[in-house]
Amino acid sequence: MRRPMVAGNWKMNLGRSEASALAQGLVDGVDDVNNAEVLICPPYVHIADAEAIVSGSAVQLGAQNLSDQDAGAFTGEISGAMLKDYSCTHVIVGHSERRALYGETDELVAKKFAKAQEHGLIPVLCVGELLEEREAGNTESVVARQLDAVIQANGIAALENAIVAYEPVWAIGTGKTASPEQAQEVHAFIRNKLADMDSGIAEGLRILYGGSVKSSNAEELFSRADIDGGLIGGASLDAAEFLAICRAA
Ligand code: PGA
């Protein structure tokens, strides 16, 4: 039985005091979340404050990105070791905003995935198609290509200690959620594809859905066989709303 996970991706939002208030609100309410693992991924500069607030609670801490390098002359970068030092357990890699706006290629994402694991962090690997790609009937080939880049570089066994998030780009921040059927179809495709390589890993892998999840649509999405929780952007910025999503999982 896969334990569901709900992860909040705060993106580049919230000032320092707002970020701390949100983290505190989640700590205060997390005991009512019976089933799901709860993870927050604040902006880097808020991670130290968040660490102090979530320490000893069921709220886990992660980051939104990491460097593909370990240390040295890499201005503006943050390493996996640094994140580990601040009690991060997870890190998002290959978010579509990183791919589309900051030019992250499949190969770079595969390297970041490896770096995360080298530093003892669990990568939350994001995959998903653009609207044009869906309309052209290429959803599966795009998702397969993104997964294959990681598997070719790191081996299928690397997915044993990872999480995948299916985030159709056209559903992110648009208010346009994939229907539970559309999401389930891609989640099942991902699991079946991986099962061809290693059925145990495929069965154990948590595949989160992301893209305009809110408390009003979470339960229906999470009730599907291969949807093991969510990666939440906008709706993770409100403690009550995010906790309601967590309770739906
Ligand atoms: P959204 O973002 O929930 O605001 O659509 C999801 C994500 O990008 O992780």
Side-chain angles (χ1 to χ4, degrees), residues 9 11 95-97 167 171-174 210-213 231-235:
N9 172 10
K11 307 193 182 184
H95 190 280
S96 66
E97 287 151 19
E167 298 205 308
I172 295 177
T174 57
S212 299
V213 178
L231 178 55
I232 320 300

Side-chain angles (χ1 to χ4, degrees), residues 53-90:
I53 294 166
V54 305
S55 165
S57 82
V59 178
Q60 301 179 71
L61 190 58
Q64 299 170 18
N65 185 25
L66 83 166
S67 176
D68 64 325
Q69 303 292 329
D70 285 325
F74 302 103
T75 301
E77 293 291 290
I78 298 287
S79 72
M82 292 170 182
L83 298 176
K84 194 71 189 165
D85 252 356
Y86 285 87
S87 308
C88 289
T89 51
H90 295 73

Side-chain angles (χ1 to χ4, degrees), residues 4 34-35 44 78 120 123 130 142 171 173 221 238 241:
N34 290 318
N35 202 19
Y44 286 139
I78 298 287
L130 304 169
V142 169
L221 284 159
D238 180 279
E241 174 69 6

Side-chain angles (χ1 to χ4, degrees), residues 140-151:
E140 292 186 354
S141 63
V142 169
V143 168
R145 190 200 74 223
Q146 292 169 333
L147 287 170
D148 283 338
V150 169
I151 295 166

Side-chain angles (χ1 to χ4, degrees), residues 12-188:
M12 195 174 76
N13 291 298
L14 307 177
R16 186 174 185 178
S17 57
E18 296 161 316
S20 290
L22 176 54
Q24 188 62 55
L26 298 175
V27 167
D28 292 344
V30 76
D31 287 347
D32 293 338
V33 178
N34 290 318
N35 202 19
E37 250 182 88
V38 177
L39 172 71
I40 55 170
C41 300
Y44 286 139
V45 293
H46 299 326
I47 286 179
D49 285 347
E51 180 193 28
I53 294 166
V54 305
S55 165
S57 82
V59 178
Q60 301 179 71
L61 190 58
Q64 299 170 18
N65 185 25
L66 83 166
S67 176
D68 64 325
Q69 303 292 329
D70 285 325
F74 302 103
T75 301
E77 293 291 290
I78 298 287
S79 72
M82 292 170 182
L83 298 176
K84 194 71 189 165
D85 252 356
Y86 285 87
S87 308
C88 289
T89 51
H90 295 73
V91 62
I92 298 171
V93 296
H95 190 280
S96 66
E97 287 151 19
R98 301 294 321 165
R99 294 178 190 262
L101 304 173
Y102 298 96
E104 292 195 7
T105 60
D106 291 338
E107 290 65 36
L108 181 63
V109 171
K111 270 184 88 180
K112 290 187 173 197
F113 182 102
K115 277 296 162 203
Q117 290 190 331
E118 251 175 61
H119 291 290
L121 298 160
I122 298 173
V124 180
L125 170 67
C126 297
V127 298
E129 80 289 1
L130 304 169
L131 184 58
E132 308 85 277
E133 293 167 333
R134 172 163 285 262
E135 285 172 345
N138 294 333
T139 297
E140 292 186 354
S141 63
V142 169
V143 168
R145 190 200 74 223
Q146 292 169 333
L147 287 170
D148 283 338
V150 169
I151 295 166
Q152 270 159 26
N154 302 295
I156 181 72
L159 283 175
E160 184 149 24
N161 208 16
I163 292 166
V164 168
Y166 169 59
E167 298 205 308
V169 179
W170 48 272
I172 295 177
T174 57
K176 210 173 148 191
T177 325
S179 70
E181 294 70 30
Q182 283 174 319
Q184 165 58 27
E185 201 182 343
V186 180
H187 284 232

